[in-house]
Amino acid sequence: MDNYTVYHLHSHVSNLTAGTSADSITKFEQYLDMAQHLGMSSVAFSEHGSVMNWVKKKEETEKRGLKYIHANEIYLTEEIGYDSEKDKLILKRDNYHYMLLAKNHDGVKELNKLTSKTFNRTDGHFYYNPRVTFDELKATSDNIIMTSACLASPLWRLYKNDKNKFEDMVAWMETQKHRMFFEVQYHTHPEQ
């Protein structure tokens, strides 16, 4: 297990910060106990829409001799619009999932800044969940590594619902193949 890294991992914090269903009720320390028991060398915590408690997680991970990888399973929205005639935001509850991991310290700072922006409730970023726009995702630097995430990803949902947008997403992903990875999750769901 020393060469295996769990990078898509939710602790109980995912339920507290983003209001999702119970992806996990496990405390991050319990995951670290198991990682140590299995002889793993690194771990990432990728809470839904949040990097909450990341300093504490990093300190505890490193105290146990493991490498901490900074991550966030962000929520994506196609756009945040504004209707100037009605003087109000036009909000769409699309909330796709996408995985972002910091490649280095600059990536940690970039991910933290991006995540912080998503909690703004006055500009449309926070609508049911903290969200990043597709344009903001596409503007991230090479300090951020990305994966396609789960069945709530734009890859799957656009494939099912909007072939043109799906093709645009795949074309953009191809330009990012130096930092973009397809995520394959092992579980029994046939579409996964």
Side-chain angles (χ1 to χ4, degrees), residues 3-148:
N3 67 347
Y4 179 75
T5 298
V6 176
Y7 65 88
H8 189 150
L9 180 64
H10 302 292
S11 76
H12 75 292
V13 173
S14 279
N15 305 328
L16 302 172
T17 59
T20 63
S21 58
D23 273 328
S24 176
I25 57 169
T26 306
K27 306 278 194 257
F28 77 89
E29 295 92 348
Q30 292 172 282
Y31 283 122
L32 292 175
D33 289 343
M34 182 58 72
Q36 277 185 291
H37 173 75
L38 294 173
M40 295 171 68
S41 59
S42 57
V43 68
F45 291 97
S46 51
E47 309 299 357
H48 278 294
S50 174
V51 291
M52 183 154 303
N53 293 340
W54 78 271
V55 172
K56 186 175 180 182
K57 290 174 187 170
K58 181 180 188 308
E59 288 173 348
E60 185 63 27
T61 301
E62 291 176 349
K63 185 171 81 174
R64 295 166 182 249
L66 300 165
K67 178 181 179 179
Y68 168 82
I69 300 170
H70 197 58
N72 182 350
E73 184 176 9
I74 63 168
Y75 293 103
L76 275 173
T77 184
E78 291 184 47
E79 63 181 299
I80 298 171
Y82 186 77
D83 184 336
S84 55
E85 289 180 17
K86 295 181 181 178
D87 192 32
K88 67 181 238 181
L89 291 167
I90 302 167
L91 300 170
K92 182 178 180 182
R93 190 176 179 189
D94 40 4
N95 296 344
Y96 301 99
H97 295 197
Y98 216 68
M99 183 68 68
L100 302 182
L101 300 105
K103 181 179 178 179
N104 51 36
H105 184 66
D106 287 337
V108 170
K109 293 189 293 186
E110 184 177 351
L111 187 52
N112 285 354
K113 184 176 180 179
L114 186 64
T115 300
S116 181
K117 188 177 191 176
T118 67
F119 281 88
N120 187 331
R121 294 173 185 263
T122 61
D123 71 355
H125 274 89
F126 193 102
Y127 184 59
Y128 288 89
N129 292 322
R131 305 174 314 158
V132 172
T133 66
F134 276 81
D135 289 340
E136 290 167 330
L137 173 70
K138 292 176 180 179
T140 59
S141 77
D142 287 351
N143 296 315
I144 301 292
I145 296 170
M146 302 174 281
T147 79
S148 58

